[in-house]
């Protein structure tokens, strides 16, 4: 199946994604297949990917890469953490750091990263590398869970509002194991406002869309309201156009 068939944004789409997220532990394949189809739909709103080079940075076990390939793209996965690759990553997967991709300038038609930015310490360098490998006129897709989102603490959310130390200790007591994410090591406090200011100040990209990835209505409006956007956006979606040098 290609595409979700959902209008974006819409309450029906948001409800379907929310249900998939809630069942992620029970059925991760169904969850991430739906998320991959949804993300590919968002990319293809700006043109079909068939025949194009799509670079998936930090795509874990490869659901996004497989979806782009199913739509006729030449999809290549770059993942720095071999533990995230699973037992059967897509063929031609490359173990590589998103700060320094082993790619020439301007080789990708689409550079794609989903829920990765919150896991990198140096946001600006990471974004610059995504832009570097994208051809002029190509797209850069970035979405991430901002720190003050209700899901900002990931598995120990929403208790991160009380502080990372207290939240992680609560998680440890409740589950009997340490959390996967540690603030300052593999999870970082990135915010909607500062990220928007950064991308809008760049002269190598233009911002095509800046909105909540999952919000069911007024998805661009919530990102325009300082303060509110840090909570209500939940997950910031940026689609950027690479400018000519």
């Amino acid at each position: 199946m290609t595409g979700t068939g959902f209008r974006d944004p819409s309450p029906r789409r948001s409800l379907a994604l929310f249900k998939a997220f809630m069942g992620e532990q029970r059925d991760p394949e169904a969850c991430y297949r739906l998320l991959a189809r949804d993300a590919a739909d968002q990319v293809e709103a700006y043109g079909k990917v068939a025949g194009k080079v799509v670079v998936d940075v930090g795509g874990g076990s490869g659901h996004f890469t497989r979806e782009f390939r199913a739509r006729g793209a030449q999809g290549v996965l770059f993942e720095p953490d071999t533990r995230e690759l699973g037992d059967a990553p897509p063929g031609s997967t490359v173990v590589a750091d998103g700060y320094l991709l082993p790619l020439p300038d301007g080789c990708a038609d689409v550079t794609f990263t989903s829920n990765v930015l919150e896991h990198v310490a140096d946001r600006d360098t990471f974004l610059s590398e995504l832009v570097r490998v994208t051809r002029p006129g190509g797209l850069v897709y970035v979405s991430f869970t901002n720190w003050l989102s209700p899901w900002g603490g990931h598995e120990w959310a929403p208790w991160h509002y009380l502080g990372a130390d207290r939240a992680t200790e609560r998680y440890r007591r409740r589950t009997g194991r340490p959390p996967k994410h540690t603030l300052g090591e593999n999870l970082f406090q990135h915010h909607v406002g500062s990220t928007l200011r950064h991308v809008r100040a760049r002269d190598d990209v233009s911002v095509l869309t800046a909105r909540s990835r999952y919000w069911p209505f007024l998805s661009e409006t919530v990102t325009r309201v300082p303060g509110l956007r840090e909570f209500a956006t939940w997950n910031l979606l940026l689609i950027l156009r690479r400018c000519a040098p």
Side-chain angles (χ1 to χ4, degrees):
M1 177 182 177
T2 298
T4 63
F6 298 134
R7 184 170 57 85
D8 178 17
S10 69
R12 180 168 170 260
R13 167 185 171 268
S14 295
L15 180 60
L17 288 169
F18 182 73
K19 286 181 176 178
F21 294 146
M22 295 304 292
E24 186 264 343
Q25 294 295 315
R26 183 180 67 256
D27 191 355
E29 281 297 313
C31 174
Y32 290 111
R33 281 198 303 268
L34 177 61
L35 187 61
R37 293 201 307 270
D38 185 74
D41 285 350
Q42 291 176 324
V43 171
E44 288 204 316
Y46 296 89
K48 296 296 184 182
V49 298
K52 296 183 178 179
V53 175
V54 179
V55 170
D56 177 8
V57 181
S61 58
H63 290 90
F64 299 106
T65 295
R66 291 188 183 91
E67 180 62 29
F68 285 120
R69 289 181 181 180
R71 299 183 187 215
Q74 181 183 340
V76 184
L77 171 62
F78 293 83
E79 171 57 53
D81 189 347
T82 56
R83 295 169 298 182
E84 296 292 334
L85 291 174
D87 297 328
S92 303
T93 293
V94 179
V95 177
D97 195 312
Y99 288 133
L100 190 63
L101 295 169
L103 292 170
D105 295 356
C107 65
D109 297 293
V110 179
T111 304
F112 177 93
T113 178
S114 173
N115 295 328
V116 175
L117 191 66
E118 68 263 37
H119 302 297
V120 302
D122 188 342
R123 177 200 64 192
D124 299 357
T125 297
F126 181 77
L127 291 174
S128 291
E129 186 67 352
L130 301 182
V131 173
R132 180 188 70 79
V133 303
T134 307
R135 67 167 177 81
L139 297 181
V140 180
Y141 178 110
V142 178
S143 85
F144 74 98
T145 305
N146 54 296
W147 174 245
L148 292 177
S149 159
W151 303 104
H154 285 49
E155 72 270 31
W156 29 277
W159 304 101
H160 64 295
Y161 289 128
L162 301 179
D165 291 343
R166 294 173 68 179
T168 54
E169 181 57 32
R170 181 185 182 279
Y171 180 89
R172 192 186 303 270
R173 289 196 310 269
R174 184 171 60 85
T175 65
R177 63 179 184 272
K180 177 180 178 180
H181 298 99
T182 300
L183 189 67
E185 293 182 11
N186 58 2
L187 184 64
F188 299 90
Q189 297 187 37
H190 296 311
H191 303 287
V192 173
S194 59
T195 302
L196 289 176
R197 287 190 293 273
H198 171 74
V199 295
R200 287 169 175 160
R202 298 184 67 114
D203 60 6
D204 52 4
V205 293
S206 59
V207 179
L208 299 181
T209 191
R211 64 183 178 93
S212 170
R213 184 176 182 180
Y214 306 124
W215 200 251
F217 49 84
L218 300 177
S219 59
E220 292 192 4
T221 301
V222 297
T223 63
R224 298 184 183 130
V225 184
L228 175 66
R229 63 190 175 194
E230 300 299 339
F231 174 82
T233 297
W234 284 39
N235 186 289
L236 179 65
L237 170 63
L238 297 169
I239 299 180
L240 314 174
R241 178 84 70 190
R242 174 72 159 97
C243 298

